């Protein structure tokens, strides 16, 4: 039987961010706090992601991007890297049917190269199966780095032979891994750290940021709701003045 969710104050549908991006930070500290290995924290973080995906559907968020494995995370101890790869493979296997049923489209940003071919194939199959779903896009940043993404875009533009006069912001945006996906309206970084850590460097130029003081496994639906309430109170000016926006 599905657990009954605690009632929350209604959110103004006109003030819901279309795209929320999340830096799921603090799994290691969360585990350490209870004397458990780091992978225990990543496992708990994965279970939490399932709840956050459901909450996105509940609150009407249309795109969710999660920073799950960065290009720099390869430098972590070998057993943690292997453990994270296994957690992703298992999660895809276990969660895919339910995500598909909920109308979730799974997408990936980052370089698929360097991943184990079996994992690569699982990611491809999950994207293929869910490609026509349109309730929520869940975009998994895996082997992703913002600088690396910009390098990949330049490689693409140069290899396609664009003349310099045709290089503009639209061409760059269309050459990124996120081509066709709107920029994040809101970025959440849990655990009380205040850094971008190479996440969506181009796309977050005008995003709002929210830093809840809880570790990722504790960032639940209620905490997320608080973040959305905070976002709803903000004025996004995109370089203009308040008066211009009012006029
Ligand atoms: C950051 O916390 C978290 C990560 C580097 C991994 C996040 C991965 C998951 C939640 C699991 C897999 C995701 C999917 C899509 C199934 P940290 O390890 O840096 O924590 P710390 O700063 O406390 O050490």
């Amino acid at each position: 039987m599905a657990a009954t969710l605690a009632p929350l104050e209604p959110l103004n549908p006109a003030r819901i961010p279309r795209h929320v991006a999340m830096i799921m930070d603090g799994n290691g500290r969360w585990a350490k706090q209870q004397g458990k290995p780091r992978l225990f924290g990543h496992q708990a973080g994965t279970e939490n992601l399932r709840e956050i995906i459901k909450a996105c559907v509940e609150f009407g968020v249309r795109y969710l991007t999660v920073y799950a494995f960065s290009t720099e995370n390869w430098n972590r101890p070998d057993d943690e890297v292997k453990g994270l790869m296994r957690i992703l493979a298992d999660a895809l296997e276990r969660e895919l049917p339910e995500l598909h049923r909920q109308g979730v489209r799974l997408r990936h940003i980052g370089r698929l190269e360097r991943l184990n071919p079996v994992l690569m194939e699982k990611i491809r199959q999950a994207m293929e199966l869910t490609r026509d779903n349109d309730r929520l896009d869940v975009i998994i940043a895996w082997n992703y780095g913002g600088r690396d993404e910009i390098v990949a875009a330049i490689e693409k533009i140069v290899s396609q032979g664009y003349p310099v006069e045709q290089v503009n912001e639209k061409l760059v945006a269309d050459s990124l891994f996120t081509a066709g996906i709107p920029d994040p309206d809101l970025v959440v970084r849990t655990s009380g750290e205040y850094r971008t850590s190479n996440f969506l460097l181009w796309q977050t130029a005008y995003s709002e940021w929210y830093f809840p003081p809880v570790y990722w496994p504790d960032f639940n639906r209620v905490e997320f709701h608080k973040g959305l309430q905070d976002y709803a109170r903000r004025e996004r000016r995109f370089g203009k003045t308040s008066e211009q926006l009012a006029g």
Side-chain angles (χ1 to χ4, degrees), residues 12-33:
N12 177 352
R15 308 286 289 176
I16 298 287
R18 184 153 66 131
H19 183 175
V20 181
M22 297 198 179
I23 303 180
M24 308 185 286
D25 198 10
N27 293 342
R29 280 164 285 165
W30 182 89
K32 194 172 172 192
Q33 227 179 21

Side-chain angles (χ1 to χ4, degrees), residues 178-194:
T178 51
I181 298 171
D183 287 343
D185 301 292
L186 175 67
V187 186
V188 175
R189 181 174 190 147
T190 55
S191 91
E193 305 281 345
Y194 303 86

Side-chain angles (χ1 to χ4, degrees), residues 24-29 38 42 45-46 49 68 73 76 88 91 140:
M24 308 185 286
D25 198 10
N27 293 342
R29 280 164 285 165
R38 296 179 57 81
H42 294 314
T46 306
L49 179 55
N73 286 153
R76 292 198 171 193
L88 176 63
I140 300 175

Side-chain angles (χ1 to χ4, degrees), residues 112-125:
L112 276 183
E113 310 92 271
R114 208 177 154 185
L115 300 184
N116 160 319
V118 179
L119 179 56
M120 222 161 24
E121 197 41 40
K122 274 197 169 95
I123 297 174
R124 286 216 175 93
Q125 282 174 3

Side-chain angles (χ1 to χ4, degrees), residues 10-232:
L11 294 160
N12 177 352
R15 308 286 289 176
I16 298 287
R18 184 153 66 131
H19 183 175
V20 181
M22 297 198 179
I23 303 180
M24 308 185 286
D25 198 10
N27 293 342
R29 280 164 285 165
W30 182 89
K32 194 172 172 192
Q33 227 179 21
Q34 32 201 305
K36 295 278 196 338
R38 296 179 57 81
L39 281 173
F40 182 79
H42 294 314
Q43 197 62 58
T46 306
E47 276 150 36
N48 191 47
L49 179 55
R50 186 200 296 134
E51 299 312 308
I52 291 298
I53 290 174
K54 280 196 202 137
C56 282
V57 171
E58 178 191 353
F59 298 143
V61 170
R62 181 62 186 78
Y63 297 86
L64 171 70
T65 300
V66 289
Y67 202 13
F69 192 87
S70 73
T71 44
E72 289 74 32
N73 286 153
W74 291 106
N75 300 321
R76 292 198 171 193
D78 209 36
D79 62 336
E80 186 168 347
V81 171
K82 286 206 180 92
L84 280 166
M85 298 292 159
R86 187 178 38 76
I87 284 175
L88 176 63
D90 290 353
L92 283 175
E93 190 111 19
R94 201 179 51 240
E95 307 292 338
L96 192 58
E98 177 57 20
L99 291 172
H100 188 38
R101 198 193 60 76
Q102 286 183 54
V104 169
R105 175 178 180 187
L106 272 182
R107 303 171 78 158
H108 166 261
I109 54 171
R111 303 228 194 206
L112 276 183
E113 310 92 271
R114 208 177 154 185
L115 300 184
N116 160 319
V118 179
L119 179 56
M120 222 161 24
E121 197 41 40
K122 274 197 169 95
I123 297 174
R124 286 216 175 93
Q125 282 174 3
M127 292 195 292
E128 187 53 37
L129 175 73
T130 60
R131 60 178 300 160
D132 295 325
N133 293 343
D134 59 7
R135 194 146 184 215
L136 168 69
D137 284 28
V138 173
I139 302 144
I140 300 175
W142 195 275
N143 195 17
Y144 173 88
R147 289 183 173 181
D148 180 55
E149 176 178 40
I150 292 170
V151 171
I154 295 170
E155 287 167 359
K156 204 165 159 188
I157 291 168
V158 171
S159 70
Q160 287 169 346
Y162 276 97
V164 69
E165 319 76 73
Q166 283 181 32
V167 177
N168 55 31
E169 290 191 10
K170 183 173 185 317
L171 178 64
V172 175
D174 290 346
S175 306
L176 296 170
F177 298 135
T178 51
I181 298 171
D183 287 343
D185 301 292
L186 175 67
V187 186
V188 175
R189 181 174 190 147
T190 55
S191 91
E193 305 281 345
Y194 303 86
R195 283 188 299 283
T196 67
S197 296
N198 204 11
F199 185 45
L200 301 176
L201 296 179
W202 173 279
Q203 300 86 340
T204 55
Y206 274 100
S207 304
E208 297 294 323
W209 286 76
Y210 181 70
F211 300 100
V214 295
Y215 296 138
W216 171 255
D218 291 331
F219 183 74
N220 56 22
R221 165 180 173 269
V222 174
E223 290 293 332
F224 186 16
H225 184 267
K226 280 189 214 165
L228 295 179
Q229 283 180 314
D230 190 296
Y231 172 83

